[in-house]
Amino acid sequence: NHFEAINEDGEKKPSLGELLLLTIAKNLTNQENPDKSDVQILLEELDFVGENYVNIPYIEYYRAKAYNSIGSKKKAEEAILTYLKRRSKEYLAWELLSDISEDKERKIQALCKTVTCHTRPGQLLRSQTKLFYFLVKEKQFDVAKALYNVITETKKELGKNLSDEWQSFSNDTWFKAVKKELDCLNYCYNRSKQIVAYVFKDWKAQNGIIYGLNLAKDLAEFIVADDVHGAFKYFGDTNLRVGDFVSLKLQRVANHEGVKYKALYVEKSEKRPKRTVYKVVEDEIREENERYYVGSVPINYSYAESKGFKLGDVVRVKAVKLPSSRVKEETKWKVLSLYKKGTV
């Protein structure tokens, strides 16, 4: 069978049929004006392979490219949305969604999402450059200048040529007038939220809470339930804080390392998470076996003392349960706030 994956020493590799089909699809859909009859034959082949071989992941991506190449925008969008719901980190797919979109704002949002994807150096240059020209037209000069510098630095590192036209931007009046550049990744992260929400609008949201911000790795750590937790890149978003309630659309990913949850879409929420992972307790500060508690929540007594509290004081504690990687590991709670009712 020409389309069954090849298994070499336990490692699955693309079949010869898959490699040939994807090469044809790539070459045909990259043409400026492909013959419609050739595209229709390709679509028929992609449909057949997609229905009969579930091991080939790029079928919907090339269906989207094929439909877009002949101007069938609606079918192209349906295909790329299906693909993105399975492979949400593919920068090429977000770029294609931008190409397919006829609405200017949606084009920019999809490009913004594209440039926040994690890839090898240089792979985002095309999308970054497209976005740069849009931003200049919109007169978003503070972020355009920051993106220009990113593109220029990447081209220099890769030994790519800087055209005279490109270099001339640095002499433009608008460029010199910008004194403080915006963080382009933070800008793109926030501007792309609407298109990401659109792609995953049919996914059920779950309520969670941010229990940590890893500044070094730029990760926001969340928990929804004892067995549902993870982290997502938040691009230094200053609106996000430890203790914030969040609504998350999650994708369960299972591999040899176990089960992980990938955050596809996140927004702040007023809905509190499950009581099993978030507690608000009002009780006396007590000592038990040389440890200190408010209700069932363990606290750092030195911290309580620094706030002017002592044993026997009635206080209110807000705490989040920290994820555990081991079955028999002792439950740990992180105190978010400790105060007397009516003082906060």
Side-chain angles (χ1 to χ4, degrees), residues 251-297:
Q251 186 174 47
R252 186 177 183 273
V253 180
N255 55 32
H256 66 281
E257 295 178 348
V259 175
K260 293 183 178 180
Y261 288 88
K262 181 169 66 175
L264 303 172
Y265 178 71
V266 182
E267 65 180 357
K268 291 176 73 168
S269 171
E270 296 296 323
K271 295 182 180 179
R272 63 175 287 162
K274 294 179 179 179
R275 296 182 186 277
T276 53
V277 298
Y278 175 72
K279 285 185 177 182
V280 179
V281 181
E282 188 173 356
D283 209 336
E284 292 183 354
I285 299 176
R286 62 184 174 85
E287 181 183 3
E288 183 181 314
N289 297 326
E290 299 183 343
R291 299 183 70 180
Y292 298 89
Y293 297 85
V294 174
S296 60
V297 177

Side-chain angles (χ1 to χ4, degrees), residues 5-195:
I6 298 170
N7 194 322
E8 284 188 8
D9 300 322
E11 182 184 356
K12 284 190 175 181
K13 294 187 176 182
S15 64
L16 293 176
E18 177 184 348
L19 291 173
L20 179 60
L21 176 61
L22 297 187
T23 299
I24 294 171
K26 183 177 181 179
N27 290 337
L28 181 59
T29 57
N30 281 346
Q31 293 176 18
E32 190 170 341
N33 292 301
D35 188 286
K36 284 192 175 183
S37 61
D38 290 341
V39 174
Q40 194 57 49
I41 293 170
L42 171 63
L43 284 166
E44 290 172 5
E45 189 65 22
L46 289 169
D47 287 344
F48 173 80
V49 174
E51 288 171 6
N52 292 279
Y53 301 95
V54 296
N55 59 294
I56 302 177
Y58 300 105
I59 296 298
E60 293 298 330
Y61 174 78
Y62 281 107
R63 284 184 74 239
K65 285 200 74 174
Y67 279 123
N68 191 50
S69 71
I70 56 174
S72 297
K73 296 289 186 178
K74 186 177 180 180
K75 289 184 177 180
E77 182 175 292
E78 288 173 358
I80 200 60
L81 291 181
T82 299
Y83 182 77
L84 279 168
K85 287 168 185 175
R86 296 174 186 167
R87 304 177 77 89
S88 63
K89 293 186 176 181
E90 292 270 356
Y91 77 96
L92 286 172
W94 288 105
E95 184 184 45
L96 180 55
L97 177 58
S98 176
D99 291 341
I100 292 168
S101 299
E102 296 180 286
D103 177 77
K104 179 186 171 186
E105 177 57 26
R106 188 167 285 182
K107 275 183 174 293
I108 295 172
Q109 290 172 4
L111 281 175
C112 280
K113 176 59 180 176
T114 305
V115 303
T116 64
C117 292
H118 181 69
T119 62
R120 293 193 299 274
Q123 289 186 316
L124 295 176
L125 278 174
R126 182 174 59 198
S127 295
Q128 289 170 334
T129 304
K130 287 180 185 177
L131 180 58
F132 168 78
Y133 283 106
F134 273 121
L135 293 173
V136 171
K137 285 181 181 178
E138 286 191 331
K139 298 185 179 180
Q140 298 281 343
F141 296 138
D142 45 4
V143 67
K145 182 174 180 179
L147 188 56
Y148 174 90
N149 289 333
V150 169
I151 295 168
T152 301
E153 189 61 32
T154 302
K155 285 187 172 183
K156 286 180 179 177
E157 288 175 358
L158 297 175
K160 290 182 177 290
N161 180 53
L162 295 172
S163 68
D164 292 340
E165 179 196 357
W166 182 258
Q167 293 183 73
S168 70
F169 280 113
S170 62
N171 295 317
D172 285 353
T173 304
W174 69 261
F175 193 95
K176 292 179 178 179
V178 175
K179 302 302 179 186
K180 185 178 181 181
E181 300 169 22
L182 278 184
D183 181 335
C184 53
L185 286 179
N186 177 268
Y187 174 90
C188 286
Y189 170 69
N190 284 300
R191 191 162 180 181
S192 67
K193 285 181 178 179
Q194 191 174 341
I195 191 74

